[in-house]
Amino acid sequence: MEEIIPSIPFILEGILITLKFVLLSGVIGFILGIGVALAKLGKSKALGKIAGAYTAFFRGTPLILQLVYIYYVIPQVTPWNIEPFVAGVIAFSLNSAAYISEIIRAGIQSVDKGQFEAAKALNIPYFKAMRKIILPQAIKHILPALMNEGIMLLKESAVISVIGVSDIMRRGQIVAADTYNYIGALTIPLILYFLMVRVLEMYGSRVERRLSYSD
Amino acid sequence: MIKVNQLSKTFKKTPVLNNITTEINKKEVVAVIGPSGSGKSTFLRCLNGLEQPSEGQVYIDGTQLNEQNVTQIREKTGMVFQHFHLFPHMTVLQNITFAPMETHGTSKEEAEENAMKLLETVGLSDKATSYPNQLSGGQKQRVAIARALAMHPEIMLFDEPTSALDPEMVKEVLDVMKQLASTGMTMVIVTHEMAFAREVADRIIFLDQGAVVEETTPLQFFNTPSTERAQSFLQKVL
């Protein structure tokens, strides 16, 4: 077991990379997801169709395939070489936006129609009403579903190790290959992911409690 | 002030309003009454563009309401709903100041000062920092009235403002509306409160099956209704 100890800091450094990756993909995916949801609910039929096709595609194909596709195909058909980390963020944001857009669409539809009408009658512009009146109420309803999505994102981020991003998972594998100590090298990531998800869950229930003041 | 010309509204082939023509003058208080399903609410909602007429026109101050100018026209109207529709995640004060600040660009200080004045007139100064879920139905509706008034409307539309209230809370809302009527506000009120309509309204519009069946003074409508339909309606509700 001792041979693993010098490698522990190396694995722990992966935490920052994994967190940075999840935070970036999550935030971009969330904002994009709101946009896609609004397109689905909006007046424009064309935009609605595009948003529907987008969701169908990203939910209908494996995430790992989307990832390697972006990483290997884009440099072949365009002049850009993509960093593995960036390719990962693109794939994960696009993918989670597809799922988040469905969650947000359901959330917006769960808000009482009267809220839209009151906002209209008060002449509050559409996007302002969405941002300040409808979405805050919608998000309260869908917080548990969003939390699920966040947890999925955090755990599935381990997939980016396949294109060489040195996240927790990848570092665990490197150490395992170096030391042949699979138990040690893979148990540490196991514990790290579990702890990170626990923290996320606890934070989520705190936010949920904080938002319940208006029930 | 409001002119309605041959207004008809059809929802998916179901006719709701049928060829309504009427006029509402400045400072007039008009009560719209009729059996449920007669199209009263739809009529009211056509007046501020929450519903688009299938046929006919609505003019506010001589301007025909259409999809392009609906926001300008709505500037002149305030609306109070049966189910209040207060914003649950905002305090009473925020409910009232939100639209003036976001839509008119009123400063926070000015909006709050005005809101406190309005809360005083509806008798809820002590509730400024409460959330809607901490209020009774009657209090919620009075906040909703204050919220609509904060936009300085020239016309107030009321869609069954007391229908969702417990009986003991109806009076406090009607009192606020009476007070508003006495200030000379133009008001169109869809209501089932016959005593209130009789006392406060200058004119009664009686709708049945989407059409104006009778349009007259309260005195005449309640004492000597001229149509059989109005007579049988009044027999049931009085």
Side-chain angles (χ1 to χ4, degrees), chain A residues 35-64:
Chain A
V36 176
L38 291 181
K40 283 176 187 164
L41 295 171
K43 274 187 189 157
S44 160
K45 282 229 168 83
L47 270 180
K49 281 231 167 87
I50 293 172
Y54 172 87
T55 306
F57 176 78
F58 279 97
R59 289 203 303 187
T61 52
L63 173 57
I64 188 168

Side-chain angles (χ1 to χ4, degrees), chain B:
Chain B
M1 178 142 236
I2 305 176
K3 217 175 124 187
V4 178
N5 185 33
Q6 300 188 317
L7 171 69
S8 293
K9 175 73 185 174
T10 309
F11 284 117
K12 292 178 185 162
K13 291 186 181 161
T14 312
V16 180
L17 294 178
N18 185 8
N19 201 14
I20 293 182
T21 298
T22 189
E23 230 173 293
I24 291 154
N25 301 316
K26 211 175 162 81
K27 298 195 173 186
E28 199 176 16
V29 177
V30 174
V32 182
I33 61 182
S36 49
S38 57
K40 307 182 294 287
S41 291
T42 307
F43 169 70
L44 196 72
R45 293 159 59 85
C46 284
L47 299 184
N48 71 344
L50 282 184
E51 302 286 356
Q52 259 93 48
S54 309
E55 273 169 69
Q57 304 87 35
V58 172
Y59 299 88
I60 308 280
D61 277 342
T63 311
Q64 188 188 337
L65 184 59
N66 58 35
E67 258 179 76
Q68 281 74 49
N69 64 18
V70 66
T71 46
Q72 285 132 278
I73 299 275
R74 276 193 195 131
E75 277 296 300
K76 301 183 181 190
T77 64
M79 191 166 200
V80 174
F81 300 88
Q82 181 178 0
H83 296 288
F84 334 121
H85 301 326
L86 294 179
F87 306 132
H89 57 303
M90 297 183 189
T91 64
V92 164
L93 194 67
Q94 288 167 338
N95 261 280
I96 300 172
T97 55
F98 184 78
M101 282 164 58
E102 298 288 341
T103 313
H104 290 169
T106 311
S107 73
K108 195 174 178 209
E109 294 74 36
E110 196 186 332
E112 285 185 350
E113 200 188 313
N114 187 36
M116 288 311 296
K117 271 188 214 151
L118 287 167
L119 280 176
E120 206 183 311
T121 51
V122 300
L124 290 172
S125 302
D126 55 326
K127 298 291 183 191
T129 56
S130 302
Y131 282 92
N133 64 337
Q134 298 165 315
L135 304 181
S136 72
Q139 291 171 333
K140 280 183 200 165
Q141 195 59 299
R142 286 187 280 154
V143 172
I145 293 172
R147 181 177 69 172
L149 289 174
M151 295 293 278
H152 305 295
E154 296 167 35
I155 304 163
M156 281 289 281
L157 307 174
F158 293 87
D159 189 3
E160 303 197 26
T162 60
S163 297
L165 299 179
D166 290 339
E168 72 265 31
M169 289 166 187
V170 169
K171 189 172 174 296
E172 63 188 57
V173 172
L174 293 183
D175 284 345
V176 167
M177 290 168 64
K178 260 185 230 171
Q179 196 187 324
L180 190 60
S182 70
T183 65
M185 176 66 78
T186 309
M187 293 162 73
V188 185
I189 308 164
V190 170
T191 186
H192 292 292
E193 296 292 330
M194 295 304 148
F196 174 76
R198 183 195 293 222
E199 185 189 335
V200 177
D202 301 309
R203 189 152 46 106
I204 304 282
I205 294 178
F206 178 66
L207 284 184
D208 188 34
Q209 297 183 340
V212 177
V213 176
E214 208 157 321
E215 185 171 359
T216 177
T217 62
L219 198 70
Q220 198 160 18
F221 180 77
F222 287 106
N223 295 337
T224 52
S226 58
T227 60
E228 209 172 296
R229 191 64 197 88
Q231 284 161 13
S232 81
F233 174 77
L234 286 172
Q235 248 165 29
K236 278 179 209 146
V237 297
L238 289 182

Side-chain angles (χ1 to χ4, degrees), chain A:
Chain A
M1 210 60 187
E2 278 122 48
E3 70 269 20
I4 204 80
I5 293 172
S7 305
I8 289 178
F10 175 72
I11 298 181
L12 291 183
E13 273 169 45
I15 295 178
L16 263 179
I17 293 169
T18 292
L19 284 181
K20 200 169 117 192
F21 176 81
V22 172
L23 201 70
L24 261 173
S25 309
V27 169
I28 298 173
F30 183 68
I31 293 168
L32 206 60
I34 293 178
V36 176
L38 291 181
K40 283 176 187 164
L41 295 171
K43 274 187 189 157
S44 160
K45 282 229 168 83
L47 270 180
K49 281 231 167 87
I50 293 172
Y54 172 87
T55 306
F57 176 78
F58 279 97
R59 289 203 303 187
T61 52
L63 173 57
I64 188 168
L65 184 52
Q66 291 162 16
L67 177 70
V68 295
Y69 200 89
I70 288 170
Y71 183 59
Y72 292 111
V73 174
I74 289 185
Q76 281 199 345
V77 296
T78 69
W80 304 307
N81 249 324
I82 289 197
E83 291 280 315
F85 187 86
V86 176
V89 170
I90 294 174
F92 273 69
S93 331
L94 292 176
N95 185 278
S96 66
Y99 286 93
I100 290 174
S101 76
E102 279 298 283
I103 299 174
I104 288 179
R105 182 181 62 81
I108 290 173
Q109 286 174 326
S110 76
V111 175
D112 184 357
K113 243 183 80 205
Q115 294 287 314
F116 292 88
E117 298 205 326
K120 261 195 201 172
L122 287 166
N123 243 346
I124 299 164
Y126 177 80
F127 282 107
K128 200 152 264 174
M130 263 300 165
R131 203 156 54 89
K132 297 277 187 70
I133 294 167
I134 307 301
L135 280 176
Q137 297 181 57
I139 283 170
K140 204 176 96 181
H141 295 166
I142 59 178
L143 214 56
L146 285 176
M147 189 45 62
N148 265 343
E149 186 56 32
I151 291 170
M152 286 292 292
L153 199 60
L154 178 52
K155 289 189 305 176
E156 293 299 307
S157 72
V159 167
I160 51 171
S161 59
V162 303
I163 55 169
V165 177
S166 41
D167 67 335
I168 299 172
M169 179 72 193
R170 171 99 177 137
R171 283 163 191 260
Q173 285 173 320
I174 290 171
V175 171
D178 271 359
T179 61
Y180 297 108
N181 184 336
Y182 281 87
I183 299 185
L186 294 182
T187 306
I188 295 167
L190 203 68
I191 294 168
L192 288 181
Y193 281 112
F194 181 74
L195 288 179
M196 280 169 16
V197 169
R198 285 300 299 153
V199 170
L200 190 61
E201 281 172 343
M202 284 187 307
Y203 181 71
S205 19
R206 243 183 54 196
V207 174
E208 213 169 316
R209 266 201 310 278
R210 271 230 325 261
L211 287 181
S212 64
Y213 62 86
S214 59
D215 283 337

